[in-house]
Amino acid sequence: MVRWEAVIGLEVHARLLTRSKLFCACETAFGAAPNSKVCPVCLGYPGALPVPNRTAIDLAIRVALATGCTIHAESVFARKNYFYPDLPKGYQISQFDKPLATGGSLEIATRDGAREIGIIRIHVEEDAGKLIHDATGGATDDTSLVDLNRAGTPLIEIVSAPDLRSSEEAIAYLTRLRQIVMYCDACDGNMEEGSLRCDANVSVRRPGGELGTRTEVKNLNSFRFLGRAVDFEIERQIALLERGERVVQETRLFDPAEGVTRAMRSKEEAHDYRYFPEPDLPPLVIDVESISRIREGLPEMPGPRAARYRRDFALNVEDSETLVTSRELADYFERTIAAGASARAAANWVKNEVLGSCNQCKVELRDFRVTAEMLGETISMVESSEISGKAAKEVFEAMATNGGSPREIVERLGLAQLSDRDAIRAIARRVIAANAAQVEQFRSGRTGIFGFLVGQVMKESQGRANPEIANQILRECLDTEAR
Ligand SMILES: [Zn+2]
């Protein structure tokens, strides 16, 4: 068997969470009436001058710092020239040979442990408008429409090194990167609305051999499409090479309905765009003070946070990764511990009950009625044997439906666990008296019947007896008391 190795790099576009566009004061609202958020600057009127949005630059710096990139004291905006109906100026303001940041990395979890994936560069650029081709948007068979609300909204492009080797790794990388831009409050990560889009560069080679010719699959807007497009492309290229044919360098589009990629156009080279420094903007200068101010404002990132959970709380990879999915969830988990729960129990409850309940009721965690403090108190009552695990589920259900304090609910529903040894002994004696036949079987050596008798004690106590104490006392009574 001839073996092939896939070489994948991703270019991710993230829309920055600013109120206004990158070079003008127009609002960036998604879903506004077409062409209602436009002005002479983003429409490319002659004489209109761009002014950079400081917030956009700060958000870009946040992501660059979070991925360990070097921020360049001076970077340069450049014009990328091409003609397309969604680009009113006839060029896009981007960055070319002097980007904002270079040389970072992020870590992904793989089957063989963690792997570092290089980030070549992060640059700032403006988005283009949107073409509407479908009838629901008002287009007809021979007419497409142009909505320029998106023209000029701020993006960062994050270019990975060609370090990814499979579709799973590509998905793991995009997952982590999406978490990072969201932890930075730089992007909402909404792939359906196009806030995060991804192009995949794919080639195959003999392991360790020279790089093969690559193709670029554009505009993948879901993790599933990314996985399917990359897998299809790898298979397609291997089949070509094994037939003795060549891979053509080109840009391709993924068709989700058919699950295939199709050639769109021959891949353009940088020189096709006639890049030159943007004459209307001075170089972008970033001072050291603002970099350290922004660095101080960054939260702990998902990778280090998950690693800390594994180290300090002995959680496994799957649980720690689930808990860092969003900053909100990770904070909730840590507040549950702060409210008295052990880390292991908090992890289980958050992962199963909290996420399950939010999913089922279709509520966001921030609107969920059971706060971390309420959950922490409930768990700590289980851990101090005040209530049983089963009772805790009831308390949780009650809180999720109607709110309320866990202690009040325990009292109202009579869920407090019975740990009083005398009370349990009294119940055990009643059970022994009422089940003479089973007691006789137990004493004649059929010890398997013990479980049944414990069950009777639990039943008699309406499930409230502390099972451990019930077990112990029943055994004592059976062993030592008068026959
Ligand atoms: Zn504008």
Side-chain angles (χ1 to χ4, degrees), residues 77-104:
F77 285 109
R79 285 192 184 180
K80 180 181 183 179
N81 299 280
Y82 65 94
F83 177 77
Y84 209 64
D86 63 5
L87 192 72
K89 294 199 291 280
Y91 59 86
Q92 175 194 27
I93 303 181
S94 180
Q95 294 188 303
F96 180 52
D97 53 353
K98 290 187 172 158
L100 175 77
T102 53

Side-chain angles (χ1 to χ4, degrees), residues 21 24-26 37-43:
K21 294 185 180 181
C24 62
C26 291
K37 311 288 180 192
V38 290
C39 75
V41 173
C42 53
L43 291 176

